[in-house]
Amino acid sequence: MANTYNVTEFIFLGLSPNQEVQRVCFVIFLLLYVAIVLGNSLIVLTVMTSRSLGSPMYFFLSYLSFVEICYSSTIAPKLISDLLAERKTISWWGCMTQLFFMHFFGGIEMFVLTVMAYDRYVAICKPLNYTTIMNQQVCMVLVGMAWVGGFVHSFSQILLIFQLPFCGPNVIDHYFCDVLPVIQLACSDTFFIGLLIVANGGTLSVISFVVLLVSYVVILLHLRTRSSEGRRKALSTCGSHITVVVLFFAPCVFIYLRPSTTLPADKMVAVFYTVITPLLNPVIYSLRNAEVKKSMKRLWMRTRKLDDK
């Protein structure tokens, strides 16, 4: 295993070597992370406490929000603390742990987004059979499959890295541990391992993205037979889903569907899918969904009444 070699820790170069820029970034990313946790937690709490949000769509939305919190929490706290540190280090096992859970929750998010597209397909294209097809048991199985899929994806990534020897250098030109920056530090030829990583991460991203796009194209074609009001409601819901899908998958495809090389733009692209997308998820779904906004208002009113008592 790689840990039998003399590399026991890695050093991050971070987002910028400029101390002033780092201090500004500390404030910005701290606020963004707090907003991610609060915004997504609000969606989870709203769905859990509102009877009007009992449909499978909102069940999957609450799971997506929970996964977003977990996903960003594997990276953002370390990033934020490192912005105030002179020496940004992480142990070898800490790096492997961060890498595993980032791909674990990222894989789950991919599969949950795919499940949400299937849910919209059934709701719009087969409305009479919707409650039968998307019953509670099916929803739980689909979520369970998403967790299993995320684990298989992440475990296969980490298994590939464990085959590599690390004997120096140990400086990662990034702000977190990811497969491509890490394997570049290996002391052996990583061409074949790089291809396997692309086949795992990049191909998974592309296939999921294509399946999602095809699903929504089928849905949009089916909407031509609906009334104008029905089309408007369906397009509003699907529009939110498509926006989240594009924001998440486009950067992932850019990062993981290419040979094992890193580019200067990778850090900024990574900020997008590790911080910005989890932040936009609650904004997009709450602002574009009238039922979610109503439920949030009712939750706020109940909270105010309890405070007054």
Side-chain angles (χ1 to χ4, degrees):
M1 291 174 60
N3 202 31
T4 58
Y5 291 81
N6 61 3
V7 171
T8 59
E9 68 175 14
F10 294 104
I11 300 172
F12 295 133
L13 292 184
L15 288 172
S16 171
N18 188 295
Q19 293 294 325
E20 286 296 324
V21 172
Q22 290 187 47
R23 281 191 282 269
V24 173
C25 287
F26 170 80
V27 176
I28 293 173
F29 283 104
L30 179 62
L31 294 175
L32 290 177
Y33 180 61
V34 170
I36 289 169
V37 174
L38 292 180
N40 284 286
S41 297
L42 179 60
I43 287 184
V44 174
L45 185 61
T46 301
V47 173
M48 289 177 61
T49 57
S50 177
R51 293 180 181 179
S52 62
L53 301 181
S55 70
M57 181 180 74
Y58 299 113
F59 171 77
F60 295 131
L61 174 59
S62 66
Y63 261 95
L64 178 65
S65 295
F66 172 73
V67 171
E68 293 280 27
I69 295 172
C70 297
Y71 180 66
S72 61
S73 295
T74 63
I75 299 166
K78 175 64 176 170
L79 165 63
I80 293 167
S81 63
D82 280 348
L83 287 169
L84 296 182
E86 281 190 29
R87 194 166 181 267
K88 305 167 179 54
T89 63
I90 187 171
S91 68
W92 191 89
W93 282 109
C95 181
M96 295 302 106
T97 301
Q98 185 184 60
L99 195 153
F100 173 82
F101 281 106
M102 189 200 79
H103 282 272
F104 175 53
F105 290 115
I108 294 172
E109 183 169 352
M110 285 187 186
F111 292 117
V112 170
L113 288 170
T114 306
V115 167
M116 292 175 75
Y118 174 70
D119 171 70
R120 289 301 84 202
Y121 166 77
V122 176
I124 293 171
C125 300
K126 300 182 180 180
L128 298 179
N129 299 322
Y130 178 65
T131 55
T132 303
I133 297 174
M134 299 301 295
N135 58 60
Q136 186 177 11
Q137 184 178 2
V138 170
C139 292
M140 294 300 295
V141 169
L142 290 173
V143 168
M145 289 173 62
W147 282 75
V148 172
F151 176 82
V152 172
H153 162 67
S154 184
F155 184 75
S156 60
Q157 295 281 66
I158 207 80
L159 195 62
L160 291 172
I161 293 179
F162 272 23
Q163 311 304 313
L164 298 173
F166 291 88
C167 46
N170 66 338
V171 177
I172 299 177
D173 188 13
H174 217 304
Y175 62 90
F176 66 93
C177 286
D178 202 1
V179 284
L180 297 182
V182 169
I183 66 171
Q184 287 187 341
L185 303 180
C187 305
S188 63
D189 182 23
T190 60
F191 178 76
F192 182 66
I193 296 291
L195 288 180
L196 292 177
I197 287 173
V198 169
N200 182 10
T203 306
L204 175 63
S205 300
V206 171
I207 292 175
S208 300
F209 190 41
V210 170
V211 169
L212 285 163
L213 289 182
V214 170
S215 300
Y216 285 117
V217 168
V218 172
I219 291 171
L220 293 175
L221 291 175
H222 187 83
L223 288 176
R224 292 183 302 178
T225 61
R226 293 288 189 90
S227 64
S228 58
E229 180 64 18
R231 282 199 302 269
R232 188 189 65 78
K233 290 183 179 179
L235 285 172
S236 177
T237 302
C238 291
S240 300
H241 292 193
I242 293 171
T243 302
V244 172
V245 165
V246 172
L247 289 175
F248 181 75
F249 278 95
C252 289
V253 171
F254 174 80
I255 293 290
Y256 297 111
L257 193 68
R258 66 169 194 254
S260 55
T261 57
T262 56
L263 300 175
D266 285 355
K267 291 182 187 180
M268 292 301 102
V269 175
V271 167
F272 204 85
Y273 68 80
T274 58
V275 178
I276 304 301
T277 300
L279 174 68
L280 293 178
N281 173 40
V283 175
I284 292 170
Y285 281 113
S286 61
L287 292 181
R288 292 181 62 91
N289 191 300
E291 194 59 46
V292 172
K293 287 191 287 186
K294 289 178 183 177
S295 297
M296 285 182 175
K297 289 179 181 178
R298 286 195 292 266
L299 178 62
W300 172 252
M301 294 302 295
R302 288 200 300 269
T303 305
R304 289 289 302 272
K305 288 179 181 178
L306 290 175
D307 290 340
D308 291 340
K309 291 180 179 180

